[in-house]
Amino acid sequence: MSQFSKVQHSRQQWKHKATQRGDHNRSQRKQIARLTTARNQATRALKETRAQLRQLESQSRQLVVRPKVDLVHWALQLFLVARIGFRAVCRVLSLLTPVLGINTPPCPQTIINWVTRLSLVRIEAARTLKVLPPSQAPFTNGFIWMIDISVGLGRGKILAVLAVPARHHQLSDGALALEHVHCIGVGVADTWTGDTIAELLRRLIAILGRPTTYLKDGGSDLHKAVTVLNDQGLGSPCLDDISHAVAGMLKRLYQDHPAFETFVSACGRVSGKLTHTLLACLAPPKVRTKARFMNVHRLFTWADQVLKLSPPGGAKSRSTLAKLRACLDQLPACKALIQRFRADALGLLECQKILKTQGLCHDTRARCEPLIDTMPSAALRREFRAYLDFELGTATTLGLDHLGLPISSDAIESLFGVAKRHGVGETADAGRIALRCADSPRSRAGASGRRGETPRVHCSIDLLDQAATRGVGEPGAPGESQLDSRQPSYGAHAESQKPVKLSRSHQYIKWLQREPRASIETVGWASLP
């Protein structure tokens, strides 16, 4: 090959390689440019995202500082509506801290302080209750006052006074419940007598006026209190709670029955035999010894159902039926008593359902008559008819015989049940429970701190003493203040008690004792701890 050919061939190879390198370089430059553009776009998007994130974080930091009123509202809703304890409220709020925007959840003592202050606010609001009185009782405040005394709680007993509009069944549908009542008075004492109950009611009447009627159970001390007020010219008609009245009727009829004690003893032995066996699900329900006839119908219903599980005839040895019959003791011998009592109780329960839901009026009285006819005991029928006719006469006197008169005090029993669960600790303290009775749902409470002969620190503010310092005097002398009632009968230790360090809530109560005109409005929510 000549020299020219070699040069020409070498040139062709060089041009081919150069072309390939140029194509490769152009492809790489385009790819680098494309990647650079994508990187720049990603960088800008990252910067924008980080800027938005910083903006959202700054906004979230601004939402952490919420108004204290919202925090107080959430805490009180958890305590009053959800009905959980103080420590449980704190745990729930600590779990919801990032969601609700709470910086630091409150401690249990802070929740106790808020609940106490809410109770004091409702104490002050008790005097604002106003409803239209019945036409036949124009000089009353238009309310029915329920009165009841709790069982012993620690060293004290609680006397509660609830107010419900006399026209409740015209204003609301259904039975009277806890949310329909207003707690206007709460007192705590070691013992309650007719005179001390009448004194508390008299002081309530000095502020709120005379009630349309009283609704109470059959207690002799409550009856004496109403009699004392009648002698003082402050009397009002009195109603007996239908549940207690019916229990009294059953007690008078069946307590001395020759088979009743046999039946009750047999139920106790059956319970012992069935417990911790395969038939434990058939054990009788528990019935309290005190006020037994309030719920003893459950025991007779259980006995009737258990006896139906044991049909007449033989049973194989060691069979379930044989084991059940071996545990029944003397129940089969009481079958006649069981059937008669249950028939009486069934008619009474159906009548109570009608009267508690719609009140006592001519219409409900007529609807109860066929149910009364089904009761086998003639004496019980006569007594129950006499009770309904007497209470219907009271309703006619008040002009409520066509609307329905409330004759059930179940709401006050519900109040005691709710108040006992309001964080009183292992040892029941009637003073603390009474103070928190004002915090029941939709209630407005006044609390009396009179503790009888042994006052203690754990007690509530005396609404009536505060009213006396504002110039509310005896009925008929509204402009005179009762200087004697200003002397606090609480806050001092009994001689047998050792002084203890007061908590924040007790210090706040003692401050209110020194400043009777102070209230929650003057303190303000902003000063809450």
Side-chain angles (χ1 to χ4, degrees), residues 245 247 250:
L250 293 174

Side-chain angles (χ1 to χ4, degrees), residues 449-527:
R450 299 210 175 263
R451 303 300 303 264
E453 300 177 356
T454 56
R456 295 193 297 272
V457 173
H458 305 304
C459 57
S460 53
I461 292 300
D462 194 334
L463 166 66
L464 306 173
D465 287 347
Q466 293 190 27
T469 61
R470 290 177 171 86
V472 179
E474 296 283 341
E480 298 178 1
S481 62
Q482 305 174 10
L483 298 179
D484 294 339
S485 63
R486 297 186 191 183
Q487 301 299 327
S489 59
Y490 42 76
H493 297 283
E495 295 180 359
S496 60
Q497 284 184 314
K498 181 179 179 181
V500 295
K501 183 178 180 181
L502 296 181
S503 64
R504 179 71 179 274
S505 58
H506 298 148
Q507 294 173 359
Y508 181 75
I509 292 175
K510 292 183 71 64
W511 174 78
L512 280 179
Q513 295 172 10
R514 296 192 301 270
E515 300 291 340
R517 293 184 179 273
S519 63
I520 278 295
E521 288 86 356
T522 61
V523 177
W525 286 113
S527 62

Side-chain angles (χ1 to χ4, degrees), residues 364-480:
T364 55
R365 174 65 178 86
R367 290 171 57 187
C368 290
E369 190 62 30
L371 298 173
I372 298 176
D373 292 334
T374 61
M375 295 188 296
S377 300
L380 186 61
R381 293 197 302 268
R382 288 193 301 269
E383 189 173 3
F384 188 60
R385 285 193 178 104
Y387 164 77
L388 293 181
D389 293 340
F390 180 81
E391 303 300 346
L392 187 58
T394 304
T396 304
T397 304
L398 299 175
L400 301 173
D401 54 323
H402 62 290
L403 298 177
L405 180 66
I407 57 173
S408 173
S409 61
D410 291 346
I412 202 167
E413 304 294 342
S414 300
L415 177 69
F416 288 144
V418 171
K420 290 176 185 177
R421 298 167 52 188
H422 275 187
V424 296
E426 297 180 359
T427 303
D429 188 344
R432 291 175 182 264
I433 296 175
L435 182 59
R436 290 162 192 163
C437 282
D439 295 324
S440 60
R442 292 183 60 183
S443 69
R444 302 170 183 268
S448 175
R450 299 210 175 263
R451 303 300 303 264
E453 300 177 356
T454 56
R456 295 193 297 272
V457 173
H458 305 304
C459 57
S460 53
I461 292 300
D462 194 334
L463 166 66
L464 306 173
D465 287 347
Q466 293 190 27
T469 61
R470 290 177 171 86
V472 179
E474 296 283 341
E480 298 178 1

Side-chain angles (χ1 to χ4, degrees), residues 122-326:
R122 289 179 171 175
I123 288 173
E124 292 293 330
R127 67 185 64 198
T128 63
L129 297 176
K130 293 183 181 299
V131 295
L132 183 65
S135 58
Q136 300 297 328
F139 299 105
T140 63
N141 56 20
F143 284 96
I144 296 175
W145 284 8
M146 298 183 192
I147 315 170
D148 199 4
I149 301 174
S150 71
V151 297
L153 301 170
R155 291 177 52 195
K157 293 183 179 180
I158 300 175
L159 171 66
V161 183
L162 304 187
V164 59
R167 302 174 181 268
H168 164 75
H169 291 290
Q170 182 184 15
L171 303 174
S172 304
D173 296 330
L176 182 64
L178 184 58
E179 59 266 18
H180 299 136
V181 301
H182 305 273
C183 184
I184 60 171
V186 177
V188 179
D190 296 333
T191 57
W192 287 99
T193 63
D195 294 332
T196 56
I197 296 173
E199 175 64 18
L200 186 142
L201 294 177
R202 185 188 63 80
R203 298 170 70 200
L204 282 175
I205 292 173
I207 297 176
L208 304 175
R210 187 165 54 88
T212 301
T213 182
Y214 296 102
L215 179 58
K216 62 177 184 61
D217 58 18
S220 58
D221 47 1
L222 298 178
H223 180 74
K224 181 180 178 182
V226 175
T227 304
V228 172
L229 291 177
N230 289 335
D231 296 339
Q232 297 177 357
L234 301 175
S236 295
C238 191
L239 299 172
D240 289 331
D241 171 54
I242 185 171
S243 298
H244 290 82
V246 167
M249 297 174 196
L250 293 174
K251 181 178 180 179
R252 286 186 290 272
L253 182 62
Y254 285 100
Q255 186 177 23
D256 297 331
H257 194 282
F260 182 78
E261 289 298 330
T262 303
F263 169 77
V264 174
S265 302
C267 290
R269 290 190 293 269
V270 170
S271 177
K273 293 178 181 179
L274 293 178
T275 305
H276 304 301
T277 66
L278 293 177
L279 300 177
C281 59
L282 300 178
K286 294 183 179 180
V287 177
R288 296 187 308 170
T289 304
K290 187 175 182 180
R292 172 184 294 168
F293 283 87
M294 292 288 292
N295 299 304
V296 76
H297 64 274
R298 300 176 183 175
L299 206 57
F300 283 90
T301 302
W302 163 84
D304 185 60
Q305 294 174 348
V306 168
L307 290 179
K308 289 180 180 179
L309 297 177
S310 177
K316 293 182 179 180
S317 177
R318 298 183 180 180
S319 63
T320 304
L321 181 58
K323 294 178 181 179
L324 176 62
R325 289 180 177 178

